Amino acid sequence: MLLGLWPAAVLASVRGGWRAVVTGLFLAGLLTPPQVYAYAWEVATGPRGPFEGLLPATTALGATGSVVRAGLISAGWLWPIVALIIATGWRYAGRPAYMLAILDTTSTRAFLRAALPSLRNYLAASACVVFAVTLIEYPIPHLAMARVWATELLLLVDAGAPAGQVIRMTGQVLALAVVLAGAAGWCAWSSRQWQSLGGDEGLAGGGGSPARGPGSGWIGCGVAAGVWLLTVGLPLVVLATSMRNRGAWGQALRLFAREWKVSLGVGLLAAVLTLSLAVFTVLLGKAACSRWATCGALLCVLVAVVPPAAVGVGFITVYNRHGLPGWLYDHTPLVWSLGLVARYAAVAVAVVWLAVGRQIVSTVEQARSDGAGSIGVLAYILLPMFAPALAAAGLIVAVLAMFEVVVTHLVSPVGSQGLSLTLLNHMHYGRDDVVIATSLTACGAGLVLTLLCGWLLVRPGGRRRMIGKAVSLCAGLVMTGVGGCGGHELEGRRPVLVFGEKGLGPGQFVYPRALATAPDGRLFVVDMFARIQRFNADGEYELAWRMPEWEAGKPTGISVDDRGRVLVADTHYHRVVIFDRNGKESARFGSYGEQLGQFTYPTSVAVDREGFLYVSEYGGNDRITRFTPDFEPIAAFGTADSGPAALSRPQSMTFDSDGSLWVADACHHRLCRFSREGRLLGTLGTAGRGPGQLQYPYDLAIAGDGTLLVCEYGNNRIQRFDRQGHSLGTWGTAGRRVGSLASPWGVALGADGRVYVLDAGNHRVQVLR
């Protein structure tokens, strides 16, 4: 609220073309994808960031620091909501009160003692909206590792909780959100001034003398510019300057071309469907002089305050069931787009409603008195009159839909999850240049679109031909994007065994993230609930135990040495924990830090034939540290100053028969081969989707004949290489069926030649021979 007050005064004071620019810039801040915004601040204030320590550190303050950090980041992202709402109130109530008070006192006192009290309804409305949005927002607290209601609800959904339990948990917050939405609506209605986006001389332009107020001077503009630069410009500039490899731009476009295509297609399809709903609820309601508009708008608002996890569960319950064609849910974007419509319909309805206001009453009545019917009024008067506002609303919804995380996570087809979920998952890698480049590209595209939105809303005249061409282009992109969401035929052989399903019971998984085989053939799997389960070679459950601590995060790596010890990279507790085969802890070592022997986020542990341990990590260090059998650090290699040997999220490791160490260098999309002392012996693979190329290799295993099996998280497949780096074939494509994969995290070899593939997104293990 405090951040948005002065920018609101500036927005209400500027006129003409400058109002279009300011409106677009404010929308750009608000429409910056929340995961990108949070990621920018994490890079800026994280380890080795230029503003390290500016925000409360999660590692230092625990849960409290995470929540405060998430709250501060959310404030920087959401203040444009306050500015846009208060700016409307300023034109109607704040400015008259200010102009009267300025005759008797200073500008500051006039603003604080006269203008602000007159804006109480608008302040209350914006407070309710911001609180409701923050209450159900997921990406920002997720990246800040804050355990809030939204993150816990999605965790419950991912654990396979019954729909009834999800509904009961949702009802608690939904009731509060409905109360907040009702309070915001009452404040808006009681003010009697919310006639349109522009009123008589607002965003739609108009005559009159320039507005005067605290935002019209250089000081006011400077303060507003400072707020925008601090909260929007600064984190994005820091993100841009954090790139170490300028060639990442081209690599990002190659790797995420399909994700961009899918996201654009689904976003535009959701925008078209949402605008259709807005036209029928608002414009047709106005044309028919009925209460449809009010009822439809209220229904859209009520659906908008439903938490996105509950929206996703609802669409899964309705559409992913027997009796309905499976292709509708699994291989088309229709259900996904409908979920996005439910999520953002209120945005389009609000923009159109405010644009329409009450200024068309006389026009509609005149047309009806001339014999025009409701459809005629809609087609020949309302649609041409409000085409710019409809176009702006469509652009806003398209941007929001492209980067929606929770609904996409729950409802999108496997392999067609678009850019939002892909970016969020990859942001956990730390300073990945490809992710930074993609994030900045998304922000740049969003800035252009939001400036266009401001232009359409502020100066809508004379844009009919341009809008028609844009609609034609959007229709073509929608069809192109939809075509990219189809299924794929299965490559290769079928698995001989599949075990595991979503759940918290014995033999069930919640997004398993690492697996390892023991010398006796047993299999150990760790999942997102920090449970380690042991299975025999045939996938039969034997026992389970849980990590000592798990609230801050879950392990991402597990291995078993020749002595049968189970070594777990306890990623978010910055340590390695060692168990015996029955789950009894025998040792632990490591602490948070960047000194030799300390870790940021350890990912994997490997043990050579002499008992020396190797621990990989990311998140600032991005290195491999070698330890003695007594856990004393010896040296580190693969650091940022290692030249060609520098690593970027080394995700897993395994030793070859000759004693060399193979490393899955995930964010460099390659495999690296090191000597035991850390000398780079060679690399394998380049970034891409074709044979011999890799996209985020997460795990690797070496077969008895010396070939390498590589688990590609980004390409949803297992690829086999010979020693010279030639691809010998791939197995798996994106999907839910047996033989298909969804974001696989691991691959391991059994003693009898079995290949165990950790199909994380499908919560199961598939076994090949």
Side-chain angles (χ1 to χ4, degrees):
M1 294 287 290
L2 293 175
L3 288 172
L5 289 178
W6 216 282
V10 172
L11 180 58
S13 300
V14 296
R15 297 180 59 79
W18 283 109
R19 180 170 292 174
V21 174
V22 174
T23 302
L25 288 175
F26 286 4
L27 286 173
L30 182 61
L31 297 184
T32 298
Q35 60 269 46
V36 172
Y37 188 78
Y39 179 61
W41 275 112
E42 292 297 325
V43 171
T45 62
R48 299 180 184 177
F51 301 102
E52 182 177 359
L54 181 63
L55 297 180
T58 300
T59 53
L61 299 177
T64 301
S66 300
V67 171
V68 173
R69 187 181 187 90
L72 292 174
I73 294 174
S74 298
W77 179 55
L78 290 174
W79 67 260
I81 291 179
V82 179
L84 292 169
I85 294 176
I86 300 302
T88 303
W90 177 264
R91 286 193 295 273
Y92 294 119
R95 187 177 61 209
Y98 176 83
M99 296 303 293
L100 288 174
I102 197 66
L103 299 175
D104 300 317
T105 186
T106 63
S107 60
T108 302
R109 283 192 170 189
F111 179 69
L112 295 176
R113 297 191 176 185
L116 283 184
S118 70
L119 297 173
R120 57 185 179 275
N121 284 338
Y122 301 91
L123 290 167
S126 59
C128 291
V129 172
V130 169
F131 193 92
V133 171
T134 308
L135 196 65
I136 62 176
E137 181 59 35
Y138 173 81
I140 290 177
H142 172 71
L143 287 174
M145 293 187 291
R147 294 190 62 183
V148 298
W149 183 88
T151 58
E152 295 303 294
L153 177 63
L154 187 59
L155 198 62
L156 183 70
V157 171
D158 283 340
Q165 183 179 357
V166 175
I167 292 172
R168 286 193 298 272
M169 183 175 178
T170 302
Q172 303 166 10
V173 169
L174 181 59
L176 177 58
V178 169
V179 170
L180 291 169
W186 180 84
C187 292
W189 184 267
S190 64
S191 69
R192 302 284 183 178
Q193 302 292 346
W194 293 69
Q195 296 183 7
S196 70
L197 275 175
D200 296 330
E201 49 95 54
L203 293 181
S209 60
R212 293 184 59 193
S216 60
W218 288 107
I219 296 178
C221 293
V223 172
V227 170
W228 193 91
L229 290 173
L230 175 65
T231 59
V232 180
L234 179 63
L236 296 181
V237 169
V238 170
L239 197 63
T241 56
S242 298
M243 290 183 63
R244 293 163 292 196
N245 176 21
R246 299 302 169 184
W249 293 96
Q251 191 179 69
L253 291 176
R254 290 195 303 273
L255 286 176
F256 295 133
R258 183 173 65 185
E259 284 76 9
W260 273 108
K261 177 183 175 182
V262 170
S263 294
L264 286 170
V266 172
L268 292 171
L269 178 59
V272 170
L273 295 175
T274 303
L275 286 181
S276 301
L277 183 62
V279 167
F280 279 97
T281 55
V282 180
L283 294 187
L284 187 58
K286 293 289 185 181
C289 296
S290 69
R291 299 184 180 275
W292 292 2
T294 302
C295 296
L298 289 176
L299 180 61
C300 291
V301 170
L302 289 176
V303 175
V305 297
V306 176
V311 172
V313 170
F315 276 84
I316 291 172
T317 304
V318 172
Y319 291 101
N320 188 24
R321 59 191 302 174
H322 297 294
L324 293 176
W327 58 266
L328 183 69
Y329 179 82
D330 289 329
H331 299 299
T332 73
L334 182 59
V335 177
W336 181 12
S337 298
L338 291 176
L340 295 172
V341 170
R343 184 85 172 91
Y344 295 116
V347 175
V349 169
V351 172
V352 176
W353 181 285
L354 293 173
V356 171
R358 300 176 183 176
Q359 60 182 321
I360 65 166
V361 173
S362 60
T363 306
V364 171
E365 290 179 350
Q366 179 64 45
R368 294 181 68 85
S369 67
D370 293 337
S374 300
I375 300 300
V377 173
L378 175 67
Y380 294 105
I381 296 179
L382 299 184
L383 285 179
M385 182 182 297
F386 298 105
L390 288 170
L395 289 174
I396 292 172
V397 170
V399 173
L400 291 172
M402 283 177 60
F403 296 101
E404 163 62 32
V405 169
V406 177
V407 173
T408 298
H409 168 66
L410 294 175
V411 184
S412 63
V414 176
S416 301
Q417 296 171 332
L419 201 61
S420 60
L421 197 58
T422 303
L423 264 183
L424 182 66
N425 290 334
H426 293 172
M427 283 170 180
H428 295 285
Y429 304 151
R431 296 189 190 184
D432 179 10
D433 287 344
V434 172
V435 175
I436 292 175
T438 306
S439 300
L440 292 173
T441 303
C443 290
L447 177 61
V448 172
L449 291 176
T450 49
L451 287 173
L452 178 59
C453 289
W455 182 61
L456 289 169
L457 290 172
V458 174
R459 304 180 67 85
R463 289 160 172 73
R464 312 295 185 241
R465 183 177 300 177
M466 182 273 297
I467 293 173
K469 293 181 178 180
V471 169
S472 301
L473 176 62
C474 290
L477 287 174
V478 168
M479 298 307 297
T480 304
V482 170
C485 293
H488 302 276
E489 292 300 321
L490 179 66
E491 299 176 2
R493 68 194 74 178
R494 292 183 61 82
V496 298
L497 175 66
V498 178
F499 63 93
E501 60 182 1
K502 180 189 285 189
L504 297 175
Q508 296 178 322
F509 306 117
V510 178
Y511 205 84
R513 300 203 295 182
L515 84 166
T517 52
D520 61 3
R522 286 181 168 83
L523 183 73
F524 294 84
V525 182
V526 59
D527 71 358
M528 275 287 289
F529 268 75
R531 297 180 305 154
I532 300 172
Q533 299 186 70
R534 193 182 81 191
F535 301 86
N536 65 19
D538 295 322
E540 297 173 350
Y541 170 84
E542 293 184 345
L543 59 86
W545 70 91
R546 202 168 190 181
M547 294 297 294
E549 297 171 281
W550 60 86
E551 290 85 356
K554 317 305 187 296
T556 62
I558 188 171
S559 59
V560 183
D561 65 7
D562 293 338
R563 297 161 52 184
R565 297 183 302 174
V566 181
L567 302 98
V568 180
D570 199 1
T571 308
H572 294 278
Y573 285 93
H574 326 288
R575 65 192 179 191
V576 173
V577 184
I578 303 176
F579 303 91
D580 66 16
R581 61 194 299 270
N582 296 317
K584 181 181 179 180
E585 183 179 340
S586 59
R588 67 172 68 181
F589 63 95
S591 62
Y592 179 77
E594 298 184 1
Q595 301 299 317
L596 186 65
Q598 294 181 314
F599 308 121
T600 48
Y601 296 105
T603 57
S604 179
V605 187
V607 183
D608 66 16
R609 53 195 172 196
E610 295 182 5
F612 288 85
L613 294 89
Y614 298 73
V615 182
S616 59
E617 58 180 306
Y618 77 100
N621 289 348
D622 289 286
R623 65 186 180 184
I624 296 173
T625 304
R626 187 185 185 201
F627 292 83
T628 68
D630 296 324
F631 316 131
E632 295 295 327
I634 302 174
F637 56 91
T639 55
D641 57 357
S642 301
L647 301 170
S648 181
R649 180 146 181 167
Q651 178 61 38
S652 62
M653 304 175 290
T654 189
F655 276 97
D656 207 340
S657 57
D658 62 1
S660 58
L661 179 68
W662 285 90
V663 180
D665 191 7
C667 290
H668 284 153
H669 314 286
R670 65 179 184 176
L671 306 181
C672 294
R673 183 168 169 247
F674 290 93
S675 68
R676 294 173 58 212
E677 294 75 25
R679 181 168 55 90
L680 182 65
L681 303 177
T683 62
L684 182 156
T686 57
R689 299 182 183 274
Q693 296 180 316
L694 301 170
Q695 186 175 11
Y696 294 101
Y698 265 21
D699 202 2
L700 73 161
I702 301 177
D705 60 359
T707 59
L708 292 94
L709 297 174
V710 184
C711 174
E712 294 184 65
Y713 174 88
N715 282 332
N716 293 291
R717 68 186 182 187
I718 303 296
Q719 187 167 189
R720 190 177 185 184
F721 291 89
D722 63 17
R723 307 292 289 191
Q724 289 72 42
H726 302 124
S727 176
L728 302 178
T730 62
W731 180 85
T733 54
R736 301 283 185 194
R737 298 171 298 170
V738 172
S740 299
L741 300 172
S743 304
W745 271 68
V747 60
L749 291 170
D752 57 353
R754 294 186 178 189
V755 179
Y756 297 90
V757 180
L758 191 62
D759 190 5
N762 288 322
H763 316 279
R764 65 190 179 189
V765 176
Q766 301 194 58
V767 186
L768 309 171
R769 285 191 182 275

